[in-house]
Amino acid sequence: MARRWRFAGSYPEVKLKCRICGSKAEVHLRSHNIALCREDFVKFFERRLLRTVRRFRMFGHQDRVLVAVSGGKDSLGLLHALKKLGYKVAGYHIYLDIDGYSERSLERVEAFARMEEVEIRVEGVEEALGCTIVEASEKLRRPICSLCGTVKRYLMNRAAEEFDVLATGHNLDDEAATLLGNLLHWQEGYLERQGPVLKEGDGFRRKVKPLSFTAEYETAVYAFLEGIDYIVEECPYARGATSIFYKDVLGRIEEKMPGTKIRFLGGFYKFRGEHLKPMDVPLRLCTMCGYPTTGEVCNFCKLKERLNSRTTESEQYISKK
Ligand code: Q46
Ligand code: ZN
């Protein structure tokens, strides 16, 4: 679903001046109660990103950071900004093979890699799983997004092995919507783990979300101003997702009370740091692939096994006929 982003300049009645330099403002950030010109907005965006990285000790200039990129504004904007700020970055894209959406995403990712001269590794789900996500969902009659989540998590963790940190483009709107969902359903385990940093350990690399305090509107404006050609459409399976409903609800609250999202999430992180301790779940190595897991076999290998047994069952059925 394509969204339209509003710039202050698109309202003839709004004559705002940049808080920093006094020239004509083009970006109005109601949640921060400031208006900025293009150049100062870009600086503001990058400064806050840097502050978030440092405040949560996400990584340093000596670390190699793998940025997971979908082809959208958040992840490409993050990779671009981190590179500009002098971090050692590379991108990682998972080709999902979904309708025409995946081709269009890959085109954007490849064009970005050429233009920015940054390495972006591409991995296809089909090679890793033996079939596409859509085929897996049809064969196992399971919701596509839950399979997709399992596969993406596994592949990302595996790809991050050669790096120090794995960064994703989750923004303030994503994180606030996740928090709302976790609170509404009182998902204690998820609440304990929801944060801008997931510590490394037992074979997993540290996972970080440097855009946790940056609104989706701001990443869209940044990507536009920095000339990033990103994919605007969302995955067709995202339509009707509960997370989008939560984002809309929070968006309406934000309209009435600017700054609510940032206070909601920031307040939770503070509370979590003081009162919630994520439980230490002992991990062992998957007996099939050797990757860390809580059980004997990891979810990805279980999925592969189920798909293989389905294929064998249908082959037997056909050969009997
Ligand atoms: S989970 Fe579902 Fe997303 Fe995968 S199938 Fe598309 S909407 S891409 S974040
Ligand atoms: Zn495994």
Side-chain angles (χ1 to χ4, degrees):
M1 180 199 333
R3 291 182 202 198
R4 293 172 63 115
W5 302 105
R6 299 182 314 197
F7 286 66
S10 62
Y11 294 99
E13 75 277 13
V14 182
K15 289 202 180 80
L16 296 168
K17 287 199 169 157
C18 172
R19 164 86 68 90
I20 312 290
C21 70
S23 67
K24 186 175 158 247
E26 291 198 58
V27 190
H28 184 195
L29 304 174
R30 290 183 66 221
S31 54
H32 298 274
N33 196 24
I34 50 168
L36 298 166
C37 69
R38 292 181 174 216
E39 289 75 29
D40 283 314
F41 169 74
V42 168
K43 284 186 205 150
F44 168 88
F45 180 98
E46 290 166 357
R47 254 201 318 267
R48 204 190 17 205
L49 172 62
L50 198 60
R51 230 179 22 236
T52 309
V53 168
R54 286 180 179 160
R55 179 176 157 206
F56 293 97
R57 301 205 178 108
M58 293 182 168
F59 45 81
H61 280 92
Q62 73 291 347
D63 291 317
R64 293 198 64 216
V65 185
L66 185 68
V67 182
V69 292
S70 61
K73 60 189 181 323
D74 306 304
S75 54
L76 291 184
L78 175 63
L79 181 53
H80 169 89
L82 290 178
K83 184 169 178 273
K84 217 173 144 188
L85 292 167
Y87 288 104
K88 288 188 211 153
V89 284
Y92 174 66
H93 176 74
I94 301 176
Y95 180 75
L96 297 169
D97 206 352
I98 290 175
D99 305 330
Y101 163 76
S102 293
E103 278 82 57
R104 291 189 285 279
S105 305
L106 181 62
E107 274 168 27
R108 294 303 193 328
V109 167
E110 287 178 337
F112 176 90
R114 279 193 302 274
M115 206 164 131
E116 304 254 340
E117 296 179 353
V118 61
E119 180 200 354
I120 298 188
R121 300 175 180 191
V122 178
E123 188 164 16
V125 167
E126 198 169 0
E127 295 97 82
L129 193 64
C131 66
T132 67
I133 291 281
V134 180
E135 286 164 355
S137 154
E138 282 164 2
K139 274 189 192 169
L140 301 177
R141 297 206 185 103
R142 275 186 52 193
I144 190 161
C145 289
S146 89
L147 295 180
C148 185
T150 303
V151 172
K152 283 199 294 192
R153 257 192 310 279
Y154 180 83
L155 294 181
M156 275 195 246
N157 280 327
R158 199 169 71 176
E161 269 209 328
E162 288 174 46
F163 292 78
D164 298 299
V165 192
L166 173 66
T168 56
H170 293 93
N171 60 40
L172 172 65
D173 298 55
D174 298 323
E175 289 305 283
T178 303
L179 175 59
L180 180 62
N182 286 341
L183 285 173
L184 289 176
H185 300 284
W186 216 238
Q187 303 267 23
E188 284 182 47
Y190 289 144
L191 285 168
E192 281 164 359
R193 284 194 302 274
Q194 193 188 343
V197 179
L198 199 63
K199 279 202 268 170
E200 67 266 48
D202 295 317
F204 286 120
R205 291 287 177 258
R206 192 181 327 146
K207 284 192 206 122
V208 299
K209 299 169 186 167
L211 296 177
S212 290
F213 292 103
T214 303
E216 196 174 338
Y217 162 73
E218 292 163 44
T219 62
V221 176
Y222 180 77
F224 171 75
L225 294 180
E226 289 292 277
I228 299 169
D229 182 20
Y230 60 87
I231 184 156
V232 178
E233 71 182 278
E234 285 178 17
C235 171
Y237 295 100
R239 271 176 227 136
T242 329
S243 57
I244 294 187
F245 174 66
Y246 291 152
K247 274 189 193 180
D248 284 346
V249 171
L250 285 166
R252 274 193 259 161
I253 299 175
E254 182 78 22
E255 276 286 316
K256 284 230 179 269
M257 292 175 275
T260 302
K261 272 188 254 185
I262 220 157
R263 284 194 296 274
F264 180 47
L265 192 72
F268 168 70
Y269 284 165
K270 193 164 173 276
F271 175 85
R272 176 182 170 265
E274 288 164 7
H275 302 285
L276 299 178
K277 286 270 166 294
M279 277 213 319
D280 266 337
V281 186
L283 294 178
R284 43 182 156 160
L285 300 181
C286 167
T287 50
M288 297 183 76
C289 71
Y291 276 87
T293 176
T294 47
E296 216 172 277
V297 176
C298 75
N299 287 340
F300 181 80
C301 289
K302 277 188 202 154
L303 184 62
K304 261 179 112 170
E305 265 203 316
R306 261 180 245 138
L307 284 166
N308 285 338
S309 64
R310 275 290 158 130
T311 313
T312 328
E313 272 171 32
S314 49
E315 274 164 5
Q316 281 170 353
Y317 178 75
I318 291 164
S319 64
K320 269 187 206 160
K321 280 208 144 191

